[in-house]
Amino acid sequence: MTNSLVPPAGPRRVLALAQLANSVGDGAYYVTSALYFTHVVGLAPARVGLGLTVAWAVGSLVGVPLGRLADRRGPRGTAVLLALATGLAVASFLVVRGFVPFVAAACAYAAAQSGLAAARQALLAGLVPAGERTGLLAHLQSTLNAGLAVGAGLGGLALHAGTRAAYLGVFALDAVSFLLCAALLLRLPSPPAAGVTRRHGTGVLRDRPYVLVTLLNTVLLLRMPLLSLGVPLWITERTSAPAWLVSALFVLNTVVVMVFQVRMARGVTGLASATRAIRRSGLVMLASCAVFALSSGTPPWIAAGLLVAGALLQVVAEMQQSAGSWQLGLGLAPADRVGEYQGFFGTGVTVARTMGPLVLTALLVGWGTPGWLLLGVLMLGASYGTGPAARWAATRTAAGDPGRGRAEGSGTADVAENRPVRRPSEARLSAT
């Protein structure tokens, strides 16, 4: 991979452009959706929260079957259709006028988004050699943050205008962004479908080591609602720091990921380096939590300095954990079932976003400093538990375990650094 922030020309750059297209629309959507649903549609905030919770629960359930569809029918065509479906779901918000239609549209949006994420991962796995996937995912993460930042700026303009037309324009922009994403994905070469035969309904759930890796990764993903909920509540409820620091820390996180994520992921190329990165992320996250905890009860500018230091440590932990989890999520999945496995691995994001607010509110606002330390210890334990779980998954794959072995056409696992155990199907899917 190139060291620049822009991937080289070809499928990698097209994937990045598709990521940029829909992330601009999503950035605008994220900063305006709550006010649109409450002020324009006229729903009570509690009903909006309930509807979105139901929607993302549905999204987490359909991610696996939609990922399996990508494996069977081909990831490019499935990704294109799901991008179109996501755009249509966003467009339907423009005509929603009641709670039930809102829940239906939100469920369609969440389901299409979850399936699209799994199909795009399967498409990436089919177009990019195994050793280069983590580096490309780092590029895509940087692109995602750049797009979200631009979109958030556009959404801010809509918020400043405060008119119905401005809000509708944001939702129309998001819908069009997914149409553009679909058009870009259609330009990619089409990897062959994996030819997956029908299996029992539990599918990936029978792969106990992969399930364990996913559960541990879900714990580590509690960092996701930290800057959007946990830290803002901590700043306003437990410190004397100025409230505007909430926005400054969010911008700091976005810029650091844009600039340094590719560099941070450069050394993650296999199982050993991935688990090392995740262990380091746990240690850095524990330090971050301790620094955040120290900001309580201090003068405003000392508190602000400690919060900035904690946020810098947090974003370093985030980039390390992201790079390691990308490698494990793809590398431990059978080559002919990447979509299905990524659909399941992606449920960790949904669970963390759904349960995270409850956990973080109880720990940080309710318990204060002990809650921060407990959160740090919890993440440290999950980070150190990921290594043995990943090695278990890799060993079972190499040994042809009945749950994910040769008899079922299972795929790759990096048993040793840069020395993947390959199946014939992986060699075919990795060709560029």
Side-chain angles (χ1 to χ4, degrees):
M1 296 294 295
T2 177
N3 291 338
S4 69
L5 295 179
V6 180
R12 296 166 177 81
R13 186 169 295 176
V14 174
L15 285 168
L17 289 173
Q19 179 77 81
L20 179 64
N22 72 256
S23 61
V24 170
D26 275 347
Y29 167 85
Y30 291 150
V31 300
T32 59
S33 58
L35 292 179
Y36 172 79
F37 293 133
T38 54
H39 293 178
V40 177
V41 180
L43 299 175
R47 302 197 93 184
V48 173
L50 174 62
L52 293 178
T53 299
V54 171
W56 285 112
V58 170
S60 68
L61 293 176
V62 303
V64 170
L66 288 176
R68 192 177 296 155
L69 178 66
D71 293 331
R72 289 177 179 158
R73 301 299 183 185
R76 189 193 68 164
T78 305
V80 169
L81 289 176
L82 288 171
L84 293 173
T86 307
L88 182 62
V90 173
S92 70
F93 285 129
L94 295 171
V95 296
V96 162
R97 293 296 179 269
F99 178 66
V100 173
F102 161 69
V103 173
C107 287
Y109 173 77
Q113 279 273 48
S114 297
L116 176 59
R120 287 167 88 163
Q121 293 290 76
L123 180 58
L124 182 150
L127 295 174
V128 180
E132 300 178 16
R133 293 170 189 166
T134 298
L136 176 57
L137 284 166
H139 279 289
L140 296 182
Q141 184 69 16
S142 296
T143 303
L144 171 67
N145 274 36
L148 291 176
V150 173
L154 296 174
L157 294 176
L159 292 175
H160 179 71
T163 64
R164 173 186 172 85
Y167 286 117
L168 293 178
V170 165
F171 277 73
L173 170 67
D174 196 20
V176 170
S177 76
F178 279 98
L179 298 182
L180 180 57
C181 172
L184 287 166
L185 293 175
L186 200 58
R187 294 177 53 194
L188 291 167
S190 182
V196 181
T197 57
R198 292 188 177 273
R199 291 177 170 84
H200 299 295
T202 53
V204 64
L205 295 178
R206 292 183 293 139
D207 189 342
R208 290 176 294 173
Y210 194 88
V211 169
L212 178 58
V213 170
T214 301
L215 290 175
L216 292 170
N217 187 62
T218 302
V219 174
L220 297 173
L221 288 174
L222 287 175
R223 62 167 176 77
M224 296 184 67
L226 194 61
L227 273 185
S228 61
L229 179 70
V231 170
L233 289 176
W234 176 257
I235 290 174
T236 56
E237 298 290 332
R238 293 277 191 158
T239 78
S240 59
W244 56 260
L245 195 61
V246 171
S247 176
L249 294 182
F250 184 83
V251 172
L252 175 67
N253 179 277
T254 301
V255 171
V256 170
V257 172
M258 284 172 54
V259 176
F260 293 106
Q261 180 67 82
V262 173
R263 187 176 305 173
M264 189 71 70
R266 195 175 299 149
V268 178
T269 57
L271 175 67
S273 55
T275 54
R276 282 197 302 270
I278 291 175
R279 282 198 303 271
R280 288 195 299 267
S281 78
L283 289 168
V284 176
M285 195 67 209
L286 176 60
S288 171
C289 290
V291 172
F292 276 130
L294 290 174
S295 64
S296 180
T298 59
W301 294 107
I302 293 178
L306 290 169
L307 289 165
V308 170
L312 286 172
L313 289 169
Q314 186 271 332
V315 73
V316 170
E318 173 186 336
M319 292 186 291
Q320 292 175 326
Q321 186 269 330
S322 294
S325 67
W326 295 330
Q327 179 68 38
L328 296 183
L330 282 171
L332 295 173
D336 63 343
R337 299 168 68 187
V338 172
E340 176 186 351
Y341 271 59
Q342 285 298 296
F344 179 72
F345 198 72
T347 60
V349 174
T350 305
V351 172
R353 284 178 170 164
T354 303
M355 301 301 297
L358 298 175
V359 174
L360 294 180
T361 302
L363 287 178
L364 308 185
V365 179
W367 290 15
T369 297
W372 273 114
L373 298 179
L374 180 58
L375 177 64
V377 170
L378 179 66
M379 291 193 170
L380 180 66
S383 70
Y384 269 76
T386 298
R391 287 190 291 273
W392 179 28
T395 301
R396 284 162 64 93
T397 301
D401 180 83
R404 54 182 278 122
R406 290 183 174 88
E408 291 190 358
S410 288
T412 180
D414 290 339
V415 178
E417 195 74 19
N418 291 320
R419 301 180 68 87
V421 175
R422 285 176 170 252
R423 306 285 182 265
S425 57
E426 186 195 9
R428 181 185 71 247
L429 288 178
S430 293
T432 56

PDB file of all heavy atoms in Angstrom, residues 216-228:
ATOM      1  N   LEU A 216     -15.557 -10.207  22.427  1.00  0.00           N
ATOM      2  CA  LEU A 216     -14.491  -9.398  23.021  1.00  0.00           C
ATOM      3  C   LEU A 216     -14.321  -8.086  22.260  1.00  0.00           C
ATOM      4  O   LEU A 216     -14.095  -7.029  22.865  1.00  0.00           O
ATOM      5  CB  LEU A 216     -13.176 -10.193  23.022  1.00  0.00           C
ATOM      6  CG  LEU A 216     -13.143 -11.404  23.962  1.00  0.00           C
ATOM      7  CD1 LEU A 216     -11.899 -12.255  23.705  1.00  0.00           C
ATOM      8  CD2 LEU A 216     -13.180 -10.952  25.420  1.00  0.00           C
ATOM      9  N   ASN A 217     -14.445  -8.152  20.943  1.00  0.00           N
ATOM     10  CA  ASN A 217     -14.348  -6.927  20.150  1.00  0.00           C
ATOM     11  C   ASN A 217     -15.494  -5.977  20.475  1.00  0.00           C
ATOM     12  O   ASN A 217     -15.322  -4.754  20.471  1.00  0.00           O
ATOM     13  CB  ASN A 217     -14.357  -7.271  18.658  1.00  0.00           C
ATOM     14  CG  ASN A 217     -14.082  -6.066  17.779  1.00  0.00           C
ATOM     15  OD1 ASN A 217     -13.021  -5.464  17.838  1.00  0.00           O
ATOM     16  ND2 ASN A 217     -15.056  -5.705  16.952  1.00  0.00           N
ATOM     17  N   THR A 218     -16.673  -6.515  20.774  1.00  0.00           N
ATOM     18  CA  THR A 218     -17.812  -5.684  21.147  1.00  0.00           C
ATOM     19  C   THR A 218     -17.529  -4.899  22.415  1.00  0.00           C
ATOM     20  O   THR A 218     -17.884  -3.719  22.532  1.00  0.00           O
ATOM     21  CB  THR A 218     -19.068  -6.548  21.320  1.00  0.00           C
ATOM     22  OG1 THR A 218     -19.340  -7.247  20.092  1.00  0.00           O
ATOM     23  CG2 THR A 218     -20.277  -5.699  21.688  1.00  0.00           C
ATOM     24  N   VAL A 219     -16.870  -5.541  23.374  1.00  0.00           N
ATOM     25  CA  VAL A 219     -16.487  -4.834  24.606  1.00  0.00           C
ATOM     26  C   VAL A 219     -15.544  -3.682  24.268  1.00  0.00           C
ATOM     27  O   VAL A 219     -15.695  -2.560  24.771  1.00  0.00           O
ATOM     28  CB  VAL A 219     -15.829  -5.807  25.607  1.00  0.00           C
ATOM     29  CG1 VAL A 219     -15.290  -5.039  26.823  1.00  0.00           C
ATOM     30  CG2 VAL A 219     -16.822  -6.870  26.056  1.00  0.00           C
ATOM     31  N   LEU A 220     -14.574  -3.935  23.402  1.00  0.00           N
ATOM     32  CA  LEU A 220     -13.622  -2.891  23.025  1.00  0.00           C
ATOM     33  C   LEU A 220     -14.309  -1.752  22.269  1.00  0.00           C
ATOM     34  O   LEU A 220     -13.854  -0.610  22.317  1.00  0.00           O
ATOM     35  CB  LEU A 220     -12.504  -3.489  22.164  1.00  0.00           C
ATOM     36  CG  LEU A 220     -11.630  -4.542  22.864  1.00  0.00           C
ATOM     37  CD1 LEU A 220     -10.667  -5.182  21.872  1.00  0.00           C
ATOM     38  CD2 LEU A 220     -10.864  -3.934  24.027  1.00  0.00           C
ATOM     39  N   LEU A 221     -15.403  -2.060  21.594  1.00  0.00           N
ATOM     40  CA  LEU A 221     -16.126  -1.044  20.835  1.00  0.00           C
ATOM     41  C   LEU A 221     -16.959  -0.120  21.723  1.00  0.00           C
ATOM     42  O   LEU A 221     -17.591   0.815  21.215  1.00  0.00           O
ATOM     43  CB  LEU A 221     -17.022  -1.703  19.781  1.00  0.00           C
ATOM     44  CG  LEU A 221     -16.295  -2.313  18.577  1.00  0.00           C
ATOM     45  CD1 LEU A 221     -17.268  -3.060  17.689  1.00  0.00           C
ATOM     46  CD2 LEU A 221     -15.567  -1.236  17.779  1.00  0.00           C
ATOM     47  N   LEU A 222     -16.964  -0.347  23.016  1.00  0.00           N
ATOM     48  CA  LEU A 222     -17.614   0.604  23.916  1.00  0.00           C
ATOM     49  C   LEU A 222     -16.958   1.980  23.826  1.00  0.00           C
ATOM     50  O   LEU A 222     -17.518   2.977  24.302  1.00  0.00           O
ATOM     51  CB  LEU A 222     -17.565   0.101  25.359  1.00  0.00           C
ATOM     52  CG  LEU A 222     -18.487  -1.075  25.695  1.00  0.00           C
ATOM     53  CD1 LEU A 222     -18.239  -1.546  27.120  1.00  0.00           C
ATOM     54  CD2 LEU A 222     -19.946  -0.688  25.509  1.00  0.00           C
ATOM     55  N   ARG A 223     -15.759   2.030  23.217  1.00  0.00           N
ATOM     56  CA  ARG A 223     -15.118   3.329  22.994  1.00  0.00           C
ATOM     57  C   ARG A 223     -15.929   4.191  22.027  1.00  0.00           C
ATOM     58  O   ARG A 223     -15.782   5.419  22.014  1.00  0.00           O
ATOM     59  CB  ARG A 223     -13.724   3.130  22.422  1.00  0.00           C
ATOM     60  CG  ARG A 223     -13.750   2.439  21.068  1.00  0.00           C
ATOM     61  CD  ARG A 223     -12.457   2.492  20.328  1.00  0.00           C
ATOM     62  NE  ARG A 223     -12.506   1.729  19.091  1.00  0.00           N
ATOM     63  CZ  ARG A 223     -13.093   2.110  17.969  1.00  0.00           C
ATOM     64  NH1 ARG A 223     -13.720   3.276  17.921  1.00  0.00           N
ATOM     65  NH2 ARG A 223     -13.072   1.354  16.887  1.00  0.00           N
ATOM     66  N   MET A 224     -16.794   3.586  21.205  1.00  0.00           N
ATOM     67  CA  MET A 224     -17.490   4.336  20.166  1.00  0.00           C
ATOM     68  C   MET A 224     -18.429   5.402  20.736  1.00  0.00           C
ATOM     69  O   MET A 224     -18.409   6.552  20.277  1.00  0.00           O
ATOM     70  CB  MET A 224     -18.242   3.386  19.225  1.00  0.00           C
ATOM     71  CG  MET A 224     -17.341   2.449  18.449  1.00  0.00           C
ATOM     72  SD  MET A 224     -18.229   1.436  17.276  1.00  0.00           S
ATOM     73  CE  MET A 224     -18.781   2.663  16.111  1.00  0.00           C
ATOM     74  N   PRO A 225     -19.288   5.067  21.731  1.00  0.00           N
ATOM     75  CA  PRO A 225     -20.133   6.127  22.293  1.00  0.00           C
ATOM     76  C   PRO A 225     -19.431   6.956  23.362  1.00  0.00           C
ATOM     77  O   PRO A 225     -20.061   7.803  23.989  1.00  0.00           O
ATOM     78  CB  PRO A 225     -21.312   5.337  22.905  1.00  0.00           C
ATOM     79  CG  PRO A 225     -20.743   4.003  23.243  1.00  0.00           C
ATOM     80  CD  PRO A 225     -19.670   3.731  22.230  1.00  0.00           C
ATOM     81  N   LEU A 226     -18.131   6.736  23.560  1.00  0.00           N
ATOM     82  CA  LEU A 226     -17.429   7.449  24.623  1.00  0.00           C
ATOM     83  C   LEU A 226     -17.352   8.949  24.332  1.00  0.00           C
ATOM     84  O   LEU A 226     -17.727   9.780  25.172  1.00  0.00           O
ATOM     85  CB  LEU A 226     -16.022   6.866  24.791  1.00  0.00           C
ATOM     86  CG  LEU A 226     -15.272   7.258  26.067  1.00  0.00           C
ATOM     87  CD1 LEU A 226     -16.021   6.780  27.294  1.00  0.00           C
ATOM     88  CD2 LEU A 226     -13.864   6.676  26.058  1.00  0.00           C
ATOM     89  N   LEU A 227     -16.887   9.316  23.119  1.00  0.00           N
ATOM     90  CA  LEU A 227     -16.752  10.734  22.797  1.00  0.00           C
ATOM     91  C   LEU A 227     -18.090  11.393  22.498  1.00  0.00           C
ATOM     92  O   LEU A 227     -18.243  12.602  22.690  1.00  0.00           O
ATOM     93  CB  LEU A 227     -15.818  10.926  21.606  1.00  0.00           C
ATOM     94  CG  LEU A 227     -14.321  11.025  21.916  1.00  0.00           C
ATOM     95  CD1 LEU A 227     -13.557  11.346  20.648  1.00  0.00           C
ATOM     96  CD2 LEU A 227     -14.028  12.069  22.973  1.00  0.00           C
ATOM     97  N   SER A 228     -19.063  10.611  22.013  1.00  0.00           N
ATOM     98  CA  SER A 228     -20.352  11.208  21.674  1.00  0.00           C
ATOM     99  C   SER A 228     -21.287  11.304  22.868  1.00  0.00           C
ATOM    100  O   SER A 228     -22.206  12.129  22.863  1.00  0.00           O
ATOM    101  CB  SER A 228     -21.032  10.386  20.570  1.00  0.00           C
ATOM    102  OG  SER A 228     -21.266   9.055  21.014  1.00  0.00           O
TER     103      SER A 228
END
